[in-house]
Amino acid sequence: MVNVTVCVRFRPLNLSEKRLHGDSICIQALNTQSFTFKDEKEEDITFCFDRVFYQDSEQVEVYDFLAMPIIEGAVNAINGTIIAYGQTGAGKTYSMEGLGVLDGDRKKKGLLPRVVDGIFEFLQSLVEMTKWTVKLSMVEIYMDKIRDLFDLSKDNIQIKENKCQGIFLLGATEIPITNSTEALRCLCHGIANRAVGETQMNLASSRSHCVYIFSVQQESRTDGRSKTGKIVLVDLAGSEKADRTGAGGIVLEEAKSINKSLSALGNVINALTAGKLNHIPYRDSKLTRILQDALGGNSRTALLCCCSPSPSNVSESLSTLRAKLLKSSPRANMSDAKDDMEQIIDCESLDYKSERLLEKLRQNLNEEDVDMLDELLTLEGIFFDPQSTEEIESAIEDVTIRTISALHQAVEDLKGRNDKLLTENHTLKADLTAARLALNNANTVPNASLFGKARELLISYLPSFDFPLRW
């Protein structure tokens, strides 16, 4: 078992905090891994973390300690996740993005642009016999719905899971990127689509959890072996207290949704650290479901707890510092002949389970509906091992939505073809009327032969018309 890396970062005091308490702070540094914290009762509590970044810490320090091992792991096919967590206005987005992903100040560059640079630096150092591709996805969880920040029409993306891919987002846009400049432009576009709002604690408060996903695939040009690593960066929306943020209306509803999902995250962390492995409530929110692999599955994970050192934020900072150590079992995602055979065996087992599920459905549903479900599951490559009725219902709902969508498209196609046939029919009728007028004007005997030939030609040309030709 590998410990998840948990770090804390204290941002500098802001002007509002200095007006209230001057330069006083509620922490006292002991070393790079521990400090004492003075709570609301003026009692000292000692905290220990893997690393503590104090107010004067530089962005590059956070990157070197937290992100470098994650990138190295991803290049070696081990998934990695970095999560920025803390109250609103604690410096999460600054730690993640810096002043902006396209900002030229290298000293203030955040984790996100540094990770992009790091990925391509590692890949470009590989031997020439390795072919690699990088793809980028970017989504936000807003009001417990997952929105694609590269395609805003996809505003309710579903979370899926199978044994081959683990947790994944069905239908999320994946943009191939070949260099840092291209990646940063894409990220800038996605960030511009993110939901933000103003509160009394933050002029540009994130109103959603933002997830950046980099998929790194490598393939050997000699033996064809491939390996895939995934880097996930998560900028969580900050926890909020309505009386301090002055939230109202839609902002208040957003805050409730944010706090609910963060509460679900806390419950998952508590269950994992308490050893209650028989039931981990990952499904209580979209956030915890997306982070399932990161929190207790196949991933190296780094948690950055962002805090204010001001006495005015003691309660919120103390809550953030309660983050406990998690366990994870990262493994390499490599593919060779042996792995392929194991995957085939695994898929055969899943086929059997899928068939068993379909047989159960036949007992309660129409045979044709079940056959359609079976066909669509096969076409979409959906193989799963249902653990609950919720998963079965979710699968049926997905197939139903796909079926309805396909039927709508078929109806639209038929309408288009019907309109085209009606237009052609109208044209033919007009031509026939013109031919009748021409033939009725033929009064001479020499034209009788021409009349007969025209009549025969029309009969052979229009055999499908159900009305008689009157001359």
Side-chain angles (χ1 to χ4, degrees):
M1 301 292 279
V2 179
N3 289 338
V4 172
T5 301
V6 183
C7 303
V8 62
R9 186 180 194 185
F10 291 100
R11 62 162 172 76
L13 294 169
N14 59 35
L15 293 177
S16 175
E17 292 166 340
K18 287 183 177 181
R19 281 196 298 268
L20 289 173
H21 300 282
D23 292 328
S24 63
I25 56 176
C26 60
I27 61 170
Q28 182 177 350
L30 298 178
N31 52 47
T32 58
Q33 293 182 307
S34 60
F35 60 91
T36 58
F37 182 90
K38 194 175 293 293
D39 65 13
E40 292 171 306
K41 298 178 181 179
E42 295 294 316
E43 296 178 354
D44 288 338
I45 306 171
T46 300
F47 285 96
C48 296
F49 289 85
D50 293 296
R51 180 67 181 269
V52 181
F53 300 101
Y54 295 104
Q55 299 94 302
D56 58 351
S57 63
E58 301 289 346
Q59 294 277 61
V60 68
E61 296 177 53
V62 180
Y63 169 76
D64 287 343
F65 188 85
L66 273 185
M68 281 285 283
I70 297 286
I71 297 173
E72 288 183 35
V75 173
N76 290 302
I78 298 175
N79 295 338
T81 303
I82 302 173
I83 304 172
Y85 172 76
Q87 76 172 113
T88 184
K92 300 181 299 300
T93 300
Y94 175 76
S95 294
M96 192 66 72
E97 300 176 11
L99 297 178
V101 292
L102 294 178
D103 188 81
D105 190 336
R106 291 192 59 82
K107 186 177 179 181
K108 295 183 178 180
K109 282 176 64 174
L111 283 171
L112 191 54
R114 291 179 189 272
V115 165
V116 170
D117 291 340
I119 289 173
F120 287 103
E121 286 173 7
F122 269 97
L123 291 175
Q124 288 164 3
S125 67
L126 298 175
V127 295
E128 293 183 358
M129 298 307 293
T130 301
K131 176 184 177 182
W132 53 264
T133 57
V134 181
K135 294 182 179 180
L136 170 64
S137 297
M138 185 174 172
V139 301
E140 69 172 355
I141 306 174
Y142 177 74
M143 302 289 278
D144 211 37
K145 285 190 175 183
I146 302 174
R147 304 198 304 189
D148 191 329
L149 292 176
F150 291 145
D151 184 354
L152 295 180
S153 65
K154 300 177 182 178
D155 59 358
N156 192 18
I157 292 175
Q158 300 300 305
I159 304 170
K160 296 298 173 185
E161 178 182 16
N162 61 36
K163 291 188 177 180
C164 299
Q165 295 174 268
I167 301 293
F168 65 98
L169 299 173
L170 184 65
T173 302
E174 281 190 312
I175 299 179
I177 49 178
T178 57
N179 55 61
S180 296
T181 303
E182 187 178 326
L184 293 176
R185 279 202 217 98
C186 292
L187 288 168
C188 190
H189 170 71
I191 290 170
N193 289 329
R194 190 178 176 188
V196 295
E198 181 178 342
T199 70
Q200 291 178 6
M201 295 186 69
N202 194 344
L203 291 176
S205 174
S206 300
R207 313 311 296 163
S208 65
H209 308 301
C210 192
V211 183
Y212 313 86
I213 305 170
F214 297 88
S215 297
V216 182
Q217 183 173 14
Q218 301 169 64
E219 182 179 340
S220 172
R221 298 182 188 272
T222 55
D223 58 13
R225 293 183 63 186
S226 65
K227 57 183 181 180
T228 303
K230 187 165 61 175
I231 301 176
V232 180
L233 285 83
V234 185
D235 181 9
L236 295 177
S239 56
E240 298 183 3
K241 290 185 177 180
D243 58 341
R244 297 202 61 193
T245 61
I250 185 63
V251 177
L252 180 59
E253 292 305 312
E254 291 170 344
K256 289 179 181 177
S257 178
I258 291 168
N259 290 342
K260 182 179 178 182
S261 60
L262 292 175
S263 176
L265 176 61
N267 292 337
V268 167
I269 291 174
N270 289 336
L272 287 169
T273 54
K276 300 177 182 178
L277 301 181
N278 57 326
H279 176 66
I280 308 299
Y282 292 117
R283 295 177 180 275
D284 285 359
S285 75
K286 298 287 178 64
L287 173 63
T288 51
R289 186 73 169 125
I290 284 181
L291 295 179
Q292 181 171 338
D293 280 344
L295 296 173
N298 175 28
S299 181
R300 284 179 177 169
T301 302
L303 182 62
L304 181 62
C305 304
C306 298
C307 298
S308 162
S310 172
S312 59
N313 293 312
V314 164
S315 176
E316 290 82 357
S317 295
L318 187 59
S319 177
T320 301
L321 294 171
R322 297 294 187 189
K324 298 178 181 178
L325 206 58
L326 304 176
K327 298 285 185 179
S328 185
S329 303
R331 60 183 182 274
N333 304 311
M334 302 180 69
S335 174
D336 56 20
K338 181 181 178 182
D339 291 333
D340 291 340
M341 181 57 68
E342 290 176 351
Q343 189 177 47
I344 291 171
I345 294 172
D346 193 30
C347 287
E348 287 177 351
S349 174
L350 288 172
D351 277 342
Y352 168 73
K353 291 174 181 176
S354 296
E355 182 57 38
R356 188 178 60 188
L357 170 63
L358 292 168
E359 187 59 39
K360 290 182 180 179
L361 290 174
R362 286 190 179 94
Q363 299 173 9
N364 300 289
L365 297 176
N366 182 283
E367 183 75 21
E368 293 180 358
D369 293 338
V370 178
D371 289 341
M372 181 179 291
L373 174 63
D374 185 18
E375 183 179 350
L376 288 169
L377 288 173
T378 303
L379 287 172
E380 294 296 332
I382 301 173
F383 300 102
F384 61 97
D385 182 10
Q387 301 295 327
S388 65
T389 56
E390 288 81 4
E391 290 191 18
I392 297 174
E393 291 171 355
S394 176
I396 294 174
E397 181 183 359
D398 288 339
V399 172
T400 302
I401 292 172
R402 290 172 180 271
T403 304
I404 293 173
S405 178
L407 289 173
H408 277 306
Q409 185 60 49
V411 169
E412 291 299 319
D413 291 343
L414 286 173
K415 286 176 64 179
R417 291 172 60 187
N418 185 55
D419 291 341
K420 184 178 179 181
L421 289 173
L422 287 173
T423 302
E424 292 177 355
N425 189 33
H426 180 74
T427 302
L428 288 173
K429 284 184 177 182
D431 292 344
L432 179 59
T433 300
R436 282 178 180 170
L437 291 174
L439 292 173
N440 287 334
N441 292 331
N443 296 318
T444 62
V445 174
N447 286 334
S449 176
L450 177 62
F451 174 85
K453 289 181 180 180
R455 185 175 183 277
E456 291 174 2
L457 179 62
L458 285 171
I459 291 174
S460 64
Y461 183 63
L462 302 170
S464 62
F465 279 85
D466 57 356
F467 53 82
L469 294 177
R470 295 188 178 87
W471 310 96

